[in-house]
Amino acid sequence: MITNFKPALAGIALAMSAATVAAPAAAQVNGIATASPEAVLVQADALRTGYQAISTAYATQRQQIATLRQEINNLQASLDTNGDREVNQAEWDANPTVTAQLEAKQQQAAQLLAPIALAEYYVVEQLLANLGPAQNQVVTANNIQIMLDPSAFQYAAEGVDVTGKILAALNASTPAVASTPPQDYQPRRETVAMHGAIQQIMVGAAQRAAIQQAQQQQQAQTAQEPGR
């Protein structure tokens, strides 16, 4: 699923700050370090500007997709006759007219999403091509012998994570990428997988930002109540 990522990108620096604080060069423990490729790419300057360019180029399609999603949600709600917020097979089969409309709108949304997804794949793929050299630069500069994913650690001393250093190297080497894929472009499998991981991080960051904003608004309203 492709969404408008501007709110998510605004919250990424906060959501991922623990992974991106640059550590002293001597902090690596016996040549062992950790880094998250997903965290690097999701915060890369080129990804942000590339996605913004795609959002601008496909602004009309995004608005159409948003309208279709609302219509799809309304149709799904109309099928939920027992009110459990789920559509079972019996409810689906009971109203073929509505389900036909639903399937047609889902197909239309998918067609609108396809070129947006392809452009995002292209942005991610270009960054993936430059991620290795950026990582190698950090490995050499910090005399790292072993690089592991953060999930491999139960505990890591401060400075073991070099995600921030790799991000800085990637931003320096690749400040921008193209956002329009060439004709007949087909993304590689690893590109699709990384794109999915980036999507999850962005959605999670957007959800946390929305929750935090709602909490702040609630606190502000409570503070303004009489007698407070």
Side-chain angles (χ1 to χ4, degrees):
M1 182 180 293
I2 309 300
T3 58
N4 190 328
F5 297 123
K6 290 181 181 178
L9 284 169
I12 283 174
L14 176 62
M16 302 297 297
S17 59
T20 59
V21 175
Q28 281 71 56
V29 179
N30 296 326
I32 299 175
T34 178
S36 169
E38 297 85 358
V40 171
L41 294 191
V42 80
Q43 298 174 94
D45 291 342
L47 184 109
R48 174 178 53 81
T49 57
Y51 273 31
Q52 286 176 344
I54 294 167
S55 182
T56 299
Y58 291 94
T60 300
Q61 291 86 337
R62 287 187 181 279
Q63 183 58 52
Q64 292 172 341
I65 291 168
T67 300
L68 282 168
R69 283 174 175 165
Q70 184 59 54
E71 293 173 350
I72 289 169
N73 289 338
N74 293 338
L75 288 171
Q76 289 176 330
S78 72
L79 292 174
D80 180 23
T81 55
N82 64 7
D84 65 352
R85 298 185 178 181
E86 295 182 1
V87 178
N88 57 39
Q89 191 63 48
E91 291 171 328
W92 181 270
D93 295 337
N95 200 332
T97 300
V98 173
T99 56
Q101 293 175 354
L102 184 59
E103 289 175 339
K105 290 183 182 298
Q106 289 174 332
Q107 182 177 4
Q108 186 179 355
Q111 290 173 345
L112 289 168
L113 280 167
I116 299 175
L118 200 65
E120 290 180 348
Y121 289 148
Y122 187 53
V123 167
V124 171
E125 192 159 295
Q126 292 170 87
L127 284 170
L128 272 176
N130 292 292
L131 178 62
Q135 178 173 292
N136 290 339
Q137 178 182 334
V138 173
V139 166
T140 301
N142 294 273
N143 195 28
I144 296 171
Q145 304 300 316
I146 300 174
M147 181 84 77
L148 298 174
D149 187 87
S151 62
F153 287 79
Q154 290 185 343
Y155 167 79
E158 182 180 0
V160 170
D161 193 334
V162 295
T163 299
K165 294 182 178 181
I166 298 174
L167 173 62
L170 182 62
N171 283 339
S173 68
T174 315
V177 295
S179 59
T180 302
Q183 190 174 6
D184 300 326
Y185 164 72
Q186 293 295 326
R188 299 195 300 265
R189 182 178 301 177
E190 56 268 32
T191 300
V192 175
M194 180 60 76
H195 178 269
I198 290 172
Q199 296 287 93
Q200 290 182 352
I201 293 174
M202 288 180 164
V203 170
Q207 290 174 341
R208 287 190 293 272
I211 291 171
Q212 184 178 16
Q213 183 178 10
Q215 291 173 340
Q216 291 173 346
Q217 291 175 345
Q218 181 62 39
Q219 290 171 356
Q221 291 174 357
T222 300
Q224 293 175 359
E225 292 178 1
R228 296 277 180 177

